[in-house]
Amino acid sequence: MRSLALALSPLVLGLGGCATEPTPLQENVTYATEWIGDEPVIGRTQVTLVLADGRAYGNGGCNHWFGSYVRDGEQLRFSELGSTRRACNEAIMAQENHFLETLGRVQRWDISNLDQLRLWPDQGAPMRLWPADE
């Protein structure tokens, strides 16, 4: 039995080297939102997030939004959120408001097993985002 364990140990150790580290939260990368809590983004609406030197910005689906963020390890908080004031389809406006409200409640972030960025609010399901194809 011991010889079998010794024979398998290089194989087991080699498999450990195949594991990859999750993608870190990156600055100056556009993330496209797929889900806002339990609700998928409507159709092909672009709801985006970019983090850059303490400033956050993107497109809410209709308007451009902006704000500040502070990151400390896995903690992430957004503040001073605002947006332009263009009017759009009622459903898109409701989604945009939901996105900004949820963003304002984010407390932490992580990367899923699928390399998807998840922003966790104080309660409920996370917002889920992917690096956008640019």
Side-chain angles (χ1 to χ4, degrees):
M1 183 66 137
R2 183 171 182 209
S3 62
L4 178 60
L6 289 174
L8 290 176
S9 64
L11 177 62
V12 171
L13 291 174
L15 290 176
C18 293
T20 59
E21 291 293 317
T23 306
L25 178 61
Q26 299 176 44
E27 289 197 342
N28 300 307
V29 168
T30 300
Y31 287 95
T33 307
E34 181 178 43
W35 287 81
I36 304 168
D38 292 326
E39 299 175 26
V41 170
I42 298 170
R44 296 178 186 247
T45 307
Q46 289 293 306
V47 180
T48 61
L49 164 75
V50 178
L51 304 174
D53 299 322
R55 299 293 302 158
Y57 60 91
N59 189 309
C62 177
N63 291 286
H64 294 284
W65 68 270
F66 46 86
S68 300
Y69 76 95
V70 174
R71 186 176 95 184
D72 183 14
E74 292 180 0
Q75 294 181 355
L76 181 65
R77 304 233 195 262
F78 294 89
S79 62
E80 301 172 6
L81 296 174
S83 70
T84 56
R85 308 286 248 155
R86 212 172 90 193
C88 293
N89 172 290
E90 189 175 320
I92 300 298
M93 293 299 297
Q95 174 180 268
E96 183 171 279
N97 289 335
H98 181 54
F99 171 78
L100 291 172
E101 189 272 332
T102 303
L103 197 62
R105 295 186 305 111
V106 165
Q107 295 193 358
R108 66 181 179 89
W109 69 277
D110 67 15
I111 304 291
S112 75
N113 294 341
L114 302 172
D115 285 338
Q116 188 175 46
L117 172 61
R118 296 184 297 190
L119 302 179
W120 293 89
D122 52 354
Q123 295 179 15
M127 292 199 309
R128 294 179 277 175
L129 306 94
W130 295 102
D133 297 327
E134 296 186 273

